[in-house]
Coordinates of all heavy atoms in Angstrom, one line a residue:
Chain P
D158 N 109.6 97.4 114.3 CA 109.0 98.7 114.0 C 110.1 99.5 113.2 O 109.6 100.1 112.1 CB 108.8 99.5 115.4 CG 108.1 100.7 115.1 OD1 106.9 100.7 114.7 OD2 108.7 101.8 115.4
D161 N 110.0 98.0 109.7 CA 108.9 98.3 108.9 C 109.1 99.6 108.2 O 108.8 99.8 107.0 CB 107.7 98.3 109.8 CG 106.4 98.7 109.0 OD1 105.9 97.9 108.3 OD2 105.9 99.9 109.2
D166 N 110.9 102.1 103.0 CA 111.7 103.1 102.3 C 112.7 102.5 101.3 O 112.8 103.0 100.1 CB 112.6 104.0 103.2 CG 111.8 105.0 104.1 OD1 110.6 105.2 103.7 OD2 112.3 105.4 105.2
R171 N 105.2 102.6 98.7 CA 104.3 102.3 99.9 C 103.2 101.4 99.5 O 102.5 100.9 100.4 CB 103.8 103.6 100.4 CG 103.5 103.5 101.9 CD 103.5 105.0 102.5 NE 102.8 106.0 101.6 CZ 103.2 107.1 101.4 NH1 104.3 107.6 101.8 NH2 102.5 107.9 100.6
R172 N 103.0 101.1 98.2 CA 102.0 100.1 97.9 C 102.3 98.7 98.2 O 101.5 97.8 98.2 CB 101.6 100.2 96.4 CG 100.9 101.4 96.1 CD 100.3 101.3 94.6 NE 99.8 102.5 94.2 CZ 98.7 103.0 94.4 NH1 97.7 102.4 95.1 NH2 98.3 104.2 93.9
G220 N 100.3 93.9 93.6 CA 99.8 93.4 92.4 C 98.8 94.3 91.8 O 98.2 95.1 92.5
S221 N 98.6 94.0 90.5 CA 97.7 94.9 89.8 C 96.4 94.2 89.3 O 95.6 94.8 88.6 CB 98.4 95.6 88.6 OG 98.9 94.6 87.8
G222 N 96.4 92.9 89.6 CA 95.2 92.2 89.1 C 94.1 92.0 90.1 O 94.1 92.8 91.1
Q223 N 93.2 91.2 89.8 CA 92.1 90.9 90.7 C 91.4 89.6 90.4 O 91.3 89.2 89.2 CB 91.0 92.0 90.6 CG 89.7 91.8 91.3 CD 89.0 92.9 91.9 OE1 88.9 93.9 91.3 NE2 88.7 92.7 93.2
H229 N 78.4 87.3 88.6 CA 78.7 88.7 88.9 C 77.5 89.4 89.6 O 77.6 90.1 90.6 CB 79.1 89.4 87.6 CG 79.4 90.8 87.7 ND1 78.9 91.7 86.8 CD2 80.1 91.5 88.6 CE1 79.3 92.9 87.1 NE2 80.1 92.9 88.2
E237 N 76.0 94.1 98.5 CA 75.0 95.1 99.1 C 74.4 94.7 100.4 O 74.4 95.5 101.3 CB 73.9 95.4 98.0 CG 73.3 96.8 98.1 CD 74.4 97.8 97.8 OE1 75.2 97.7 96.8 OE2 74.4 98.8 98.6
F244 N 77.5 98.0 108.0 CA 77.8 99.3 108.0 C 76.8 100.1 108.9 O 75.6 100.1 108.7 CB 77.7 99.9 106.5 CG 78.9 99.5 105.7 CD1 79.6 98.4 105.9 CD2 79.2 100.3 104.6 CE1 80.7 98.1 105.1 CE2 80.3 100.0 103.8 CZ 81.0 98.8 104.1
G245 N 77.4 100.8 109.9 CA 76.6 101.7 110.6 C 75.8 100.9 111.8 O 75.1 101.5 112.5
K250 N 79.5 99.4 115.6 CA 79.9 100.5 116.4 C 80.6 100.1 117.8 O 81.5 100.7 118.3 CB 78.8 101.4 116.7 CG 78.5 102.4 115.5 CD 77.6 103.6 115.9 CE 77.4 104.4 114.7 NZ 76.0 104.6 114.3
K298 N 93.2 106.7 117.9 CA 92.9 106.4 116.5 C 92.3 105.0 116.4 O 92.9 104.0 117.0 CB 94.0 106.6 115.6 CG 93.7 106.3 114.1 CD 94.9 106.7 113.2 CE 94.9 105.9 112.0 NZ 93.7 106.0 111.1
I300 N 91.6 101.7 114.0 CA 92.3 101.3 112.8 C 91.5 100.0 112.3 O 91.1 99.2 113.1 CB 93.7 100.9 113.2 CG1 94.4 102.2 113.7 CG2 94.4 100.3 111.9 CD1 95.6 101.7 114.4
A301 N 91.3 100.0 111.0 CA 90.6 98.9 110.4 C 91.5 98.2 109.4 O 92.5 98.7 108.8 CB 89.3 99.4 109.7
Y303 N 91.6 95.6 105.9 CA 91.1 95.8 104.6 C 89.5 95.6 104.5 O 89.0 94.6 104.9 CB 91.7 94.8 103.6 CG 91.4 95.1 102.1 CD1 92.0 96.2 101.5 CD2 90.6 94.2 101.3 CE1 91.7 96.5 100.2 CE2 90.4 94.4 100.1 CZ 90.8 95.6 99.5 OH 90.6 95.9 98.2
C304 N 88.9 96.7 104.0 CA 87.5 96.6 103.8 C 86.7 96.3 105.1 O 85.5 95.7 105.0 CB 87.0 95.7 102.7 SG 87.5 96.4 101.1
S312 N 95.1 102.6 118.2 CA 96.5 103.0 118.5 C 96.6 104.3 119.4 O 95.6 105.0 119.3 CB 97.3 103.1 117.3 OG 97.0 104.3 116.6
Chain F
M1 N 75.7 105.7 111.2 CA 75.2 106.2 109.9 C 75.3 105.0 109.0 O 76.1 104.2 108.9 CB 76.3 107.3 109.5 CG 76.0 107.9 108.2 SD 77.5 108.6 107.6 CE 78.3 109.1 109.1
K2 N 74.2 104.9 108.1 CA 74.2 103.9 107.1 C 75.2 104.3 106.0 O 75.4 105.5 105.8 CB 72.8 103.9 106.5 CG 71.9 103.1 107.4 CD 72.1 101.6 107.1 CE 71.2 100.8 108.2 NZ 71.8 99.4 108.3
C59 N 89.0 108.6 109.7 CA 89.6 107.6 108.7 C 90.2 106.5 109.5 O 91.1 106.7 110.3 CB 90.4 108.2 107.7 SG 91.1 106.9 106.6
T60 N 89.9 105.2 109.2 CA 90.5 104.1 109.8 C 91.5 103.3 108.9 O 92.1 102.4 109.3 CB 89.5 103.0 110.2 OG1 88.8 102.6 109.0 CG2 88.4 103.6 111.1
C62 N 90.7 101.7 106.2 CA 90.1 100.5 105.6 C 90.1 100.2 104.1 O 90.0 99.2 103.7 CB 88.7 100.3 106.2 SG 87.5 101.3 105.3
T67 N 88.2 100.8 96.9 CA 87.5 99.7 96.1 C 86.2 100.2 95.5 O 85.9 99.8 94.4 CB 87.1 98.5 97.0 OG1 86.1 98.9 98.0 CG2 88.4 98.0 97.8
P84 N 81.7 95.7 86.4 CA 81.5 96.9 87.3 C 81.2 96.4 88.7 O 80.7 95.3 88.9 CB 80.3 97.6 86.8 CG 79.7 96.7 85.7 CD 80.8 95.7 85.3
G87 N 87.2 96.0 91.2 CA 88.4 96.6 90.7 C 89.4 96.7 91.6 O 89.2 96.7 92.8
N88 N 90.7 96.6 91.2 CA 91.8 96.6 92.1 C 91.9 98.1 92.6 O 91.9 99.1 91.9 CB 93.1 96.3 91.3 CG 94.3 96.2 92.3 OD1 94.5 97.1 93.0 ND2 95.1 95.1 92.0
P89 N 92.0 98.2 94.0 CA 91.9 99.5 94.6 C 93.2 100.4 94.2 O 93.1 101.6 94.3 CB 92.1 99.2 96.1 CG 92.5 97.7 96.2 CD 92.0 97.0 94.9
R90 N 94.3 99.8 93.7 CA 95.4 100.6 93.3 C 95.1 101.6 92.2 O 95.8 102.6 91.9 CB 96.6 99.7 93.1 CG 96.7 99.3 91.7 CD 98.3 99.3 91.2 NE 99.0 98.2 91.6 CZ 100.2 97.8 91.1 NH1 100.7 98.6 90.2 NH2 100.8 96.8 91.6
R95 N 93.3 107.5 97.1 CA 94.4 106.6 97.5 C 94.6 106.9 99.0 O 94.9 108.0 99.4 CB 95.6 106.8 96.7 CG 96.7 105.9 97.3 CD 98.0 106.0 96.5 NE 99.1 105.2 97.2 CZ 100.3 105.1 96.8 NH1 100.7 105.8 95.7 NH2 101.2 104.5 97.5
H97 N 96.9 106.7 101.9 CA 98.2 106.5 102.3 C 98.3 106.1 103.7 O 97.9 106.8 104.6 CB 99.0 107.7 102.0 CG 99.1 108.1 100.6 ND1 100.3 108.0 99.9 CD2 98.1 108.6 99.7 CE1 100.1 108.4 98.6 NE2 98.8 108.8 98.5
F99 N 100.8 105.0 107.0 CA 102.1 105.2 107.5 C 102.3 104.5 108.8 O 101.4 104.0 109.5 CB 102.3 106.7 107.8 CG 102.2 107.6 106.6 CD1 100.9 108.1 106.2 CD2 103.3 107.9 105.8 CE1 100.8 108.8 105.1 CE2 103.1 108.6 104.7 CZ 101.9 109.1 104.3
N100 N 103.5 104.4 109.2 CA 103.9 103.9 110.5 C 104.7 105.1 111.2 O 105.7 105.5 110.7 CB 104.9 102.7 110.4 CG 105.5 102.2 111.8 OD1 105.1 102.8 112.8 ND2 106.3 101.3 111.7
D102 N 100.7 104.7 113.1 CA 99.4 104.6 112.4 C 98.7 105.9 112.1 O 98.2 106.6 112.9 CB 98.5 103.8 113.2 CG 98.8 102.3 113.2 OD1 98.9 101.7 112.1 OD2 99.0 101.7 114.3
D104 N 96.5 107.4 108.6 CA 95.9 107.1 107.3 C 95.4 108.4 106.6 O 94.6 109.1 107.2 CB 94.8 106.1 107.4 CG 95.3 104.7 107.9 OD1 96.1 104.1 107.3 OD2 95.0 104.4 109.1
R193 N 80.3 104.9 100.3 CA 80.7 103.6 100.8 C 81.6 103.7 102.0 O 81.8 102.6 102.7 CB 81.4 102.8 99.8 CG 80.5 102.4 98.6 CD 79.4 101.6 99.0 NE 78.5 101.2 97.9 CZ 77.4 100.7 97.9 NH1 76.8 100.4 99.2 NH2 76.7 100.2 96.8
Y227 N 100.4 111.6 118.4 CA 101.4 110.7 119.0 C 102.6 111.5 119.5 O 103.6 111.1 120.2 CB 101.9 109.7 118.2 CG 100.9 108.8 117.5 CD1 100.8 108.8 116.1 CD2 100.0 108.1 118.2 CE1 99.8 108.0 115.4 CE2 99.1 107.2 117.6 CZ 99.0 107.3 116.3 OH 98.0 106.5 115.7
G234 N 108.2 104.9 105.4 CA 107.5 104.8 104.1 C 107.2 106.1 103.5 O 106.1 106.2 103.0
M235 N 107.9 107.1 103.8 CA 107.6 108.4 103.4 C 107.8 108.7 102.0 O 107.4 109.7 101.3 CB 108.3 109.6 104.2 CG 107.8 109.7 105.7 SD 106.1 110.0 105.8 CE 106.1 111.8 105.6

Side-chain angles (χ1 to χ4, degrees):
Chain P
D158 189 67
D161 181 71
D166 285 346
R171 212 158 39 225
R172 284 195 197 273
S221 59
Q223 169 143 50
H229 183 223
E237 205 62 45
F244 284 25
K250 279 196 180 123
K298 179 172 159 53
I300 303 163
Y303 190 68
C304 286
S312 71
Chain F
M1 182 200 326
K2 280 277 171 207
C59 177
T60 64
C62 72
T67 67
N88 186 312
R90 85 141 83 164
R95 175 175 172 188
H97 293 252
F99 298 89
N100 174 4
D102 286 306
D104 297 291
R193 297 304 185 185
Y227 308 119
M235 293 299 281

